[in-house]
Amino acid sequence: MLLEMLAEAGRSVVAGEALSGKLGIAPPEVFRRVGGLRRRGYRIDAVKGGYRLVDVPDLVGPLEIGTFLTTREMGRTLHYRESVPSTNDVAFRLAREGAFHGDMVVAEHQTLGRGRRGRRWVSPRGRNLYFSLVLRPDLPAARAPELTFLAAVALAHTLEEAFGLESKIKWPNDLRVAKKKVAGVLPELFTYEDRVGFVVLGIGLNVNMTKAEMPEEIATEATSLAVELGQVVSRPLLLAAVLSSLESWYEVWSTEGFEALRDAWLERNETVGSRVRIVAPAGSELLGEAIGVDDGGVLLLRLADGSIERVHSGEVMSASLDDGSSS
Ligand code: BTN
């Protein structure tokens, strides 16, 4: 393919003859296709009877991701949208219509991006990553939450590998850098007779959003990779790396079980071992010390009277029992 040939050559010039010979097309057709890439934002110089790729656009379409993608399944079928209400909704619909394990919906922009607990997920155009994977594990529905642990571990691992950036996971699956949220996971489940039919795993990762672009509601609690690293990050390259990490961890989880994943999660988590205030979905609060997660990812909380409360869902609000402040 034309783009692959240019990308493989790096900064070197690829002769027009070589391109038309390998692709089996006439030189005017090569010229036409180069024009198409230029219109999409690729900078391609015409030099000495050939072409040189100078810059690639920061888009998350199949062309851009395909250049970097190394996975077998995750994201191999990619439904790219410029703008959608929510990638989770599109993926859920496609899954109901028979989308396969690993199929992905990715968008440049979401008009109604959703977070957990009915919150809005801020999704400015072209700045961050918004994508949803269809997963079809053969699993009892009760074990589905394990997949959100998987996503958090895979994201944390990617940031370490790609940027040497340390991140921490707040139970169950918020990814935080310097105590601010950089990514979140929204799993949505379709069950069939107590088994998982499919899971849509929606992931939002703040990549190049600046502080000024963060609305007030999230400005004090959120961050982005660009803010933390002091540099702009290539979104297609990063997405390909996240998908590769997700595929590796999925493999670990399906061959070794939750145990291996839980260990990796515990290594990076900031909740277990600290005193926390948990706000349950219904609004009630629990204070205690988080002492572990069980086999299903349920948080174990030791209350003041020494009893152990098993917390299935809720928001971890603070690190201090004394002041009740949130973090
Ligand atoms: C959270 O609240 O922590 C979860 C945030 C999940 C956001 C992602 S962005 C892609 C996908 N589409 C959505 O509408 N939400 C998820």
Side-chain angles (χ1 to χ4, degrees), residues 85-89 105 110 112-117 119-121 123 129-132 173-174 181 183-187 201-205:
S86 156
T87 56
N88 264 34
D89 294 348
V105 178
Q110 295 187 118
L112 291 170
R114 288 186 276 114
R116 290 195 306 130
R117 296 160 64 82
R119 296 205 182 104
R120 164 168 96 107
W121 187 259
S123 312
L129 289 175
Y130 323 110
F131 62 101
S132 303
N173 53 34
D174 280 3
K181 183 158 168 169
V185 183
L186 183 67
L201 200 60
I203 297 179
L205 174 57

Side-chain angles (χ1 to χ4, degrees), residues 135-151 172-173 187-201 249-262 294-298 310 312:
L135 302 176
R136 294 188 179 274
D138 184 13
L139 209 64
R143 286 190 55 200
E146 295 177 17
L147 289 165
T148 63
F149 283 71
L150 191 153
N173 53 34
E188 291 181 321
L189 184 61
F190 178 83
T191 58
Y192 179 74
E193 292 176 353
D194 288 341
R195 309 241 0 132
V196 171
F198 61 79
V199 177
V200 166
L201 200 60
W249 282 103
Y250 193 91
E251 185 71 28
V252 169
W253 171 71
S254 44
T255 51
E256 296 171 36
F258 184 56
E259 196 87 328
L261 191 63
R262 184 173 55 179
D294 77 2
D295 291 346
V298 172
R310 303 178 76 248
H312 291 264

Side-chain angles (χ1 to χ4, degrees), residues 16-35:
E17 265 175 26
L19 291 168
S20 56
K22 196 129 187 215
L23 298 169
I25 52 179
E29 177 59 15
V30 173
F31 182 74
R32 201 187 62 80
R33 291 191 192 179
V34 166

